[in-house]
Amino acid sequence: LARSPALPQTPYTRCHRVNNPARGAHDRSKRAGMASFQHGMHQAHDATNPDDVGTSPAELKRVLAAQQAAAIANGPPAVAERVRRLELAINLLLDNADEITAAVAKDFGVRPEKVTRFADLLMALESCKQARDKVAAWAAPQRRVVDFPFNLVGATNYIEYTPKGVVGIVGPWNYPVMLVIGPLASAFAAGNSVMIKPSEYAPATAAILGKLVNAAYDETVAHVCNGGASVAAAFCALPFDHIVFTGSTTVGKLVAKAAAENLTPVTLELGGKCPVIIGADANIANAAARVAHGKVLNAGQTCLAPDYVFVPRAKRDAFIAAFEEAVSSMYPDGVLDSADYTSVIDGRHYARLRSMIDGAAAAGCPTVECLGGGGDGKPRPAADACRIPPTLV
């Protein structure tokens, strides 16, 4: 596999199933596992479950078979072809930036245009440009030392990176462009074709990605498959040569379990908890401002957003005051009415966050909602606006 930030450097291998007298029992177990996976995906996403109409299981299998057949028939694509695919992705992002930005805003309700252009579009573009500029070096054979006695007879030794084949990409909703196009860039640089399953919780973005990608690329190179939890379950159960998943730990376990049925290797980028440790001699105002900047980006819906702070007890109140001041300086007219503050993605996530805050308050834990400058006297938006200010517990 060509050297790539998203995928491990392992050779392209293909597993073949052999006839087995226990096959019937295995298939029944696999069907039961698929049902469990779909149930788990529904629970892990939303009890209301978005519309699951989308790419059918038969269509998923057909596209995969077409991509696998093309990979075998055509062999590894030349560096020039990989560059062409990457430049096409760059042009799709540049030429359709306004439409993509509007789709992301529609999914969130409120999401600042500058956040989408920076955190989604620019980051995706940089991934594609880096891969385009470095693919020739990544794909080149690497010489290695020849051991005695073969070095005496003119032997050569090198490592050659070859594509795995077809890579399945399952994207999340929090950065629905960057976390799809980034893995796509890595897969293209490595000479693979891709099938993409965007998050159903960013349906407008998924739709525009499907329209653009499926029109620009032959389906044997790249294809977007849309749909809900059952489509995601069927997608992850396909015998890909590699799966890249970004999302929660709960769903990541389900993806890994489904992939294991086909011995498909996975790259899982799962949500983490990001502590901030503030030393006794730290500048509290600077530290609080930096934490606030990291937390308000995308309303904290970022895997590397700071989640909790360890601060010397004697400086706790000073940190709280400095954090409130930092938020007020960023939002002088208030947070909740600001078009520069992102909404929570949907009602389920809003209710989950709201219950955590209310539960902490009910248990006697002090909570501080940072409403920004002039925000205290303003009426709160309705719950369906999914607006939660930065809150310290």
Side-chain angles (χ1 to χ4, degrees), residues 138-160:
W138 288 344
Q142 294 188 355
R143 293 291 296 270
R144 291 292 186 267
V145 174
V146 178
D147 294 333
F148 177 85
F150 303 104
N151 60 334
L152 301 179
V153 293
T156 59
N157 193 8
Y158 62 93
I159 295 175
E160 181 174 313

Side-chain angles (χ1 to χ4, degrees), residues 27-37:
D27 285 349
R28 287 191 295 274
S29 175
K30 189 171 182 178
R31 287 193 295 272
M34 174 64 72
S36 175
F37 185 18

